[in-house]
């Protein structure tokens, strides 16, 4: 089954303790992206990647890191989490390539992160 | 900055009525437009994708239209059911491949 898999689904952690949220897709998509969703603010892009070893900042990149060493994986790293990073996080992928954005996005099931 | 507006923000209808959800955007240079459904605290499920060259897409009781010149898309859900209760989000892909989301329309269908 074609899908985007995020882990974990739920995570409670303490301020300053490094964590990684994994994201993997089995559709050979070039484009992957991370979003966070907060009440009243909607979905905002954190980072995106056009392909392996190509990543760039989205709208709210502060406090986050990403890497794209393999096409299928795009982990989100919080090196020193803070309470304002408590949110619902989504990973998404698409077979986009420059000038050929005729395909939609597939989203993971989400990771609910609480930083205390 | 591109903006996506969804009207209404919330909608409550009795079962069997048709639903009309509106989405507007400020820039016509979009690659495609996608409608998603989100249940509370859950992920996003893609409902329909309209490519920039298309004017509408249909899937079962769902029909979505796209008018790039006026910057509007409409999602129609025929003969609504309680299981249609959810938040519906529209999002378009811009020229950089980024999804720009609206704030969503929260729908409640009462039995």
């Amino acid at each position: 089954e074609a899908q985007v898999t995020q882990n974990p689904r739920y995570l409670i952690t303490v301020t300053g303790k490094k964590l990684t949220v994994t994201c993997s897709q089995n559709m050979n998509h070039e484009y992957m992206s991370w979003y966070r969703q907060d009440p009243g603010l909607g979905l905002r892009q954190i980072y995106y990647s056009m392909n392996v070893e190509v990543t760039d900042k989205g709208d709210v990149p502060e406090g986050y890191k990403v890497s794209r060493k393999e096409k299928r994986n795009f982990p989100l790293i919080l090196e020193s989490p803070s309470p304002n990073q408590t949110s619902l996080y989504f990973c998404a992928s698409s077979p986009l390539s420059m000038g050929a954005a005729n395909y939609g996005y597939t989203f993971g099931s989400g990771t609910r992160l609480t930083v205390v | 900055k591109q903006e996506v507006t969804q009207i209404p923000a919330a909608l409550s209808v009795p079962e069997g009525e048709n639903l009309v959800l509106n989405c507007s955007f400020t820039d016509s240079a979009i690659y495609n437009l996608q409608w998603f459904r989100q249940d509370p605290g859950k992920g996003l499920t893609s409902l329909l994708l309209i490519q920039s060259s298309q004017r509408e897409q249909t899937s079962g009781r769902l029909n979505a239209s796209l008018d790039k010149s006026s910057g509007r898309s409409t999602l129609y859900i025929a003969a609504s059911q309680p299981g249609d209760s959810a938040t519906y989000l529209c999002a378009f892909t811009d020229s950089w491949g980024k999804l720009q989301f609206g704030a969503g329309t929260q729908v409640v269908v009462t039995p």
Side-chain angles (χ1 to χ4, degrees):
Chain A
E1 180 188 352
Q3 59 186 0
V4 176
T5 303
Q6 288 180 234
N7 280 297
R9 290 292 309 277
Y10 302 92
L11 180 59
I12 300 174
T13 190
V14 296
T15 299
K17 186 176 181 182
K18 181 179 179 179
L19 66 92
T20 299
V21 183
T22 64
C23 174
S24 179
Q25 50 94 3
N26 61 1
M27 297 166 281
N28 202 37
H29 287 172
E30 295 92 359
Y31 193 103
M32 298 185 74
S33 182
W34 277 100
Y35 290 83
R36 62 177 288 175
Q37 187 178 33
D38 302 288
L41 296 175
L43 280 136
R44 296 176 291 170
Q45 189 184 56
I46 304 170
Y47 267 96
Y48 65 95
S49 170
M50 292 278 195
N51 214 323
V52 177
E53 302 294 359
V54 180
T55 63
D56 209 345
K57 297 177 181 178
D59 297 319
V60 287
E62 294 78 21
Y64 304 95
K65 284 177 58 176
V66 293
S67 68
R68 189 88 181 274
K69 294 185 172 59
E70 307 163 281
K71 199 170 188 178
R72 64 184 291 126
N73 295 323
F74 191 46
L76 180 70
I77 303 158
L78 286 72
E79 298 231 324
S80 183
S82 62
N84 65 11
Q85 293 178 297
T86 293
S87 187
L88 181 58
Y89 291 86
F90 291 104
C91 179
S93 74
S94 173
L96 287 172
S97 58
M98 293 296 284
N102 287 321
Y103 300 92
Y105 279 79
T106 301
F107 277 76
S109 299
T111 295
R112 183 166 293 283
L113 172 66
T114 302
V115 184
V116 298
Chain B
K1 181 177 181 271
Q2 177 72 265
E3 288 193 359
V4 185
T5 304
Q6 289 191 244
I7 294 173
L11 183 60
S12 181
V13 299
E15 182 176 3
E17 272 200 16
N18 298 329
L19 288 163
V20 181
L21 310 180
N22 297 298
C23 173
S24 62
F25 43 93
T26 54
D27 189 344
S28 61
I30 66 170
Y31 275 57
N32 59 44
L33 189 136
Q34 206 166 351
W35 282 93
F36 294 91
R37 169 187 171 135
Q38 186 177 26
D39 294 291
K42 304 292 187 183
L44 279 69
T45 301
S46 180
L47 298 174
L48 289 167
L49 169 74
I50 311 175
Q51 296 179 11
S52 61
S53 59
Q54 298 174 325
R55 295 190 69 85
E56 69 174 341
Q57 280 289 338
T58 298
S59 175
R61 295 184 294 112
L62 276 60
N63 173 276
S65 65
L66 175 63
D67 184 341
K68 282 178 58 178
S69 61
S70 65
R72 292 183 182 180
S73 177
T74 302
L75 177 67
Y76 300 89
I77 303 177
S80 61
Q81 304 168 358
D84 294 328
S85 298
T87 296
Y88 292 83
L89 297 157
C90 74
F92 72 86
T93 303
D94 67 18
S95 55
W96 292 100
K98 178 180 172 181
L99 267 179
Q100 304 268 10
F101 280 92
T105 295
Q106 187 174 1
V107 171
V108 174
V109 180
T110 55

